[in-house]
Amino acid sequence: MRRADEVPGVGRVLVVIPTYNEADNIAVIVGRVRRAAPAVQILIADDNSPDGTGAIADALADGDAHVQVLHRQGKQGLGAAYLAGFGWARERGYQAVVEMDADGSHAPEDLPALLDAARDADVVIGSRWTRGARVLNWPLRRLLLSRGGNLYARLALGMPVSDATGGYRVYRISALDAIDLESVTSQGYSFQVELSRLAHRAGVRIVEVPITFAERERGDSKMSPKIVVEALWRITAWGVRDRRQAVRRGLHGTATGQVRWP
Ligand SMILES: Nc1nc2c(ncn2[C@@H]2O[C@H](COP(=O)(O)OP(=O)(O)OP(=O)(O)O)[C@@H](O)[C@H]2O)c(=O)[nH]1
Ligand SMILES: [Mg+2]
């Protein structure tokens, strides 16, 4: 393995980009990642997009040894695509994976800062809601949804994370090994909250880095009321479960201090 394919202090890094109908975006985002972070490898995890994203991804992979494609049978949700990408990375000996949307909301130009932070962390969360971050062109209802969702997640789960719903992250494979990924049940965006929670409970080092987040310019959002409802009820269920566990531990005198009450 050439050292040029390693990120100093982190190792071999795979950027997983899940796609569903991102034909207008995928080539642009891949080009930006290649320029911003030439050492990383890219895996496009496409759920058999009807708009031909998979064929464009194949053409990109044919022309660049740093790009590969994981074709999946059909739309199974963001979480399932990421889990498949994580497994792919682990099987091939990568030391870290990056989660990044295809629509340009997650600026590849921020990736070097995230990878830099990963030198001293197990999980790096690109945050929209920490000092120095910027959110561009988002309508008020999306701002409110994100702020409200994060506030609720923080209160319900007691996590010291400003952007538990954000999907621009670096995970060391060793951190994923410390998390029981088999137990993950989220399909949509609650996947990000679920992984934040599991990482926090596993006691791995989580660091947040401010990012510049921009509204997608091309293509359609896959955000839906169903995804919001899934996130709300799952966060509530986890919060209730964590409190029950904390109470039981307290009763038996074995509280670990892992679960923090808001
Ligand atoms: N493989 C796969 N990718 C998906 C699926 N659902 C969404 N994605 C991808 O996940 C990323 C995030 O989805 P978006 O539609 O941008 O969701 P969002 O960022 O919450 O919504 P917008 O801000 O409106 O863009 C994009 O790269 C999508 O193409 C899915 O079921 N399978
Ligand atoms: Mg998006």
Side-chain angles (χ1 to χ4, degrees), residues 178-193:
I179 294 173
D180 179 15
L181 288 180
E182 302 270 306
S183 73
V184 173
T185 47
S186 296
Q187 318 233 306
Y189 304 123
S190 61
F191 178 76
Q192 307 299 358
V193 183

Side-chain angles (χ1 to χ4, degrees), residues 236-249:
T236 306
W238 293 324
V240 169
R241 198 185 309 164
D242 289 352
R243 276 170 179 68
R244 283 212 185 111
Q245 273 177 10
V247 168
R248 271 202 298 275
R249 286 207 190 96

Side-chain angles (χ1 to χ4, degrees), residues 154-230:
R154 211 163 42 242
L155 292 178
L157 305 177
M159 293 188 298
V161 169
S162 72
D163 198 350
T165 61
Y168 194 8
R169 300 183 173 189
V170 184
Y171 288 98
R172 280 185 188 268
I173 294 291
S174 55
L176 293 176
D177 287 341
I179 294 173
D180 179 15
L181 288 180
E182 302 270 306
S183 73
V184 173
T185 47
S186 296
Q187 318 233 306
Y189 304 123
S190 61
F191 178 76
Q192 307 299 358
V193 183
E194 185 163 16
L195 257 66
S196 307
R197 172 175 177 267
L198 292 174
H200 177 57
R201 287 167 69 90
V204 301
R205 296 168 301 170
I206 303 175
V207 166
E208 288 192 288
V209 168
I211 58 167
T212 297
F213 179 95
E215 168 70 314
R216 71 157 64 231
E217 286 174 8
R218 295 169 298 273
D220 297 325
S221 172
K222 280 102 223 168
M223 175 67 101
S224 68
K226 189 174 152 228
I227 281 171
V228 177
V229 169
E230 184 202 6

Side-chain angles (χ1 to χ4, degrees), residues 17-22 45-49 72 74-82 100-106 128 138 141-142 187 189 213-216 218-223 227:
I17 305 180
T19 53
Y20 192 76
N21 287 348
E22 301 287 3
D46 184 63
D47 276 8
N48 201 10
S49 299
R72 295 163 46 74
K75 185 161 169 39
Q76 292 168 50
L78 184 74
Y82 271 132
M100 181 188 286
D101 286 359
D103 59 6
S105 286
H106 300 147
R128 294 162 292 187
W138 237 15
R141 68 186 164 78
R142 287 300 298 265
Q187 318 233 306
Y189 304 123
F213 179 95
E215 168 70 314
R216 71 157 64 231
R218 295 169 298 273
D220 297 325
S221 172
K222 280 102 223 168
M223 175 67 101
I227 281 171

Side-chain angles (χ1 to χ4, degrees), residues 4-167:
D5 285 339
E6 293 192 4
V7 174
V10 182
R12 291 177 63 221
V13 175
L14 182 71
V15 178
V16 181
I17 305 180
T19 53
Y20 192 76
N21 287 348
E22 301 287 3
D24 293 338
N25 290 316
I26 190 62
V28 178
I29 200 75
V30 166
R32 285 174 65 188
V33 174
R34 295 290 287 119
R35 282 189 294 280
V40 305
Q41 292 282 332
I42 299 169
L43 178 69
I44 301 163
D46 184 63
D47 276 8
N48 201 10
S49 299
D51 74 346
T53 302
I56 299 171
D58 282 338
L60 293 168
D62 282 347
D64 186 345
H66 277 253
V67 181
Q68 281 156 97
V69 188
L70 177 62
H71 291 283
R72 295 163 46 74
Q73 283 195 339
K75 185 161 169 39
Q76 292 168 50
L78 184 74
Y82 271 132
L83 289 179
F86 295 169
W88 199 96
R90 182 186 282 116
E91 281 164 21
R92 286 160 182 80
Y94 284 89
Q95 273 84 44
V97 286
V98 175
E99 298 179 341
M100 181 188 286
D101 286 359
D103 59 6
S105 286
H106 300 147
E109 295 72 26
D110 283 340
L111 185 54
L114 267 71
L115 292 173
D116 234 27
R119 288 164 170 251
D120 299 311
D122 299 304
V123 179
V124 180
I125 298 180
S127 174
R128 294 162 292 187
W129 306 121
T130 194
R131 187 184 293 272
R134 291 195 303 159
V135 177
L136 308 176
N137 299 329
W138 237 15
L140 184 63
R141 68 186 164 78
R142 287 300 298 265
L143 285 171
L144 291 175
L145 189 62
S146 179
R147 295 300 312 240
N150 270 300
L151 180 66
Y152 186 57
R154 211 163 42 242
L155 292 178
L157 305 177
M159 293 188 298
V161 169
S162 72
D163 198 350
T165 61

